Amino acid sequence: MARPEFILASASPRRRELLAQVRIVPDRVEPADIDETPLKSETPAQLADRLARSKAAVVAERHPGAVVLAADTVVSLGRRFLEKAADGEEAARFLRLLSGRNHRVHTGVAVAHAGRISVRVVETRVTLKVLSEAEIAAYVATGDWQGKAGAYGIQGPAGAFVRRIVGSHPAVMGLPLYETVSLLEGVGYRRG
């Protein structure tokens, strides 16, 4: 029996790199374009679940029979969402908020196949060191914050800001590997 086509519903190069670590290479990369605006009174975990599920559903609808993997990462400080910063000024503001504080990263991962969608949400607690204005300015100048929830990437220069992490390091990067492999195996997908 032929293996079904495997589609990654994300343009994130980090997610492709993480999949490669566990010997999974998508046959196709097809990002889903959905509205990512949080709903009123939606928790970070609920938002991560809904966005991952919606992205998987949109792409699966276009490719019946394929195995579709989608994910979304939500950074929150209390009940406040820190989405992708629109510009350097907003990125600096987010980093000031996170400086010296604990925050949570919720990553939802969804697998759609044969009309079903399975989702897992992984919560990781991250503590950044107290950041000086010079450190914030230098990091913002790198541009590494662009396209990243919370305006930082743990796998880049901002990794030096992370004082403590409790949970899944790959989930903070955008894809919890244990849960991803488990979901894929649950639909019968076998790694290369």
Side-chain angles (χ1 to χ4, degrees):
M1 188 167 126
R3 187 173 67 105
E5 181 179 33
F6 174 60
I7 301 172
L8 175 61
S10 171
S12 167
R14 291 169 301 286
R15 290 190 177 113
R16 284 194 301 267
E17 290 165 11
L18 287 165
L19 285 171
Q21 288 179 18
V22 291
R23 300 182 338 271
I24 297 175
V25 178
D27 298 310
R28 179 192 312 233
V29 174
E30 188 173 321
D33 184 23
I34 64 166
D35 180 2
E36 298 188 17
T37 306
L39 302 175
K40 189 176 180 174
S41 76
E42 193 169 38
T43 68
Q46 289 168 335
L47 177 62
D49 180 294
R50 179 176 61 85
L51 294 179
R53 184 182 304 273
S54 297
K55 289 175 180 182
V58 164
V59 174
E61 189 174 303
R62 293 192 293 248
H63 302 280
V67 173
V68 177
L69 173 69
D72 202 90
T73 301
V74 176
V75 175
S76 64
L77 187 60
R79 294 221 13 123
R80 180 178 182 171
F81 296 106
L82 300 180
E83 301 172 76
K84 295 173 185 168
D87 54 32
E89 190 175 304
E90 186 172 45
R93 190 166 61 251
F94 285 179
L95 291 169
R96 285 185 200 102
L97 284 170
L98 295 173
S99 176
R101 299 175 75 182
N102 294 314
H103 63 280
R104 295 178 192 275
V105 178
H106 290 86
T107 300
V109 60
V111 171
H113 181 62
R116 296 187 58 202
I117 300 176
S118 300
V119 183
R120 301 256 176 89
V121 177
V122 175
E123 177 184 294
T124 305
R125 291 189 314 253
V126 180
T127 306
L128 298 188
K129 71 177 201 150
V130 175
L131 301 171
S132 69
E133 282 300 315
E135 287 172 314
I136 291 170
Y139 179 69
V140 170
T142 70
D144 186 65
W145 55 270
Q146 294 177 12
K148 295 179 175 82
Y152 77 92
I154 196 169
Q155 70 282 0
F161 300 159
V162 178
R163 204 181 71 182
R164 184 169 186 230
I165 180 171
V166 178
S168 169
H169 186 274
V172 178
M173 290 175 63
L175 193 66
L177 292 177
Y178 171 79
E179 290 77 7
T180 298
V181 170
S182 176
L183 286 170
L184 288 169
E185 287 175 348
V187 299
Y189 183 85
R190 298 289 172 243
R191 296 186 275 163

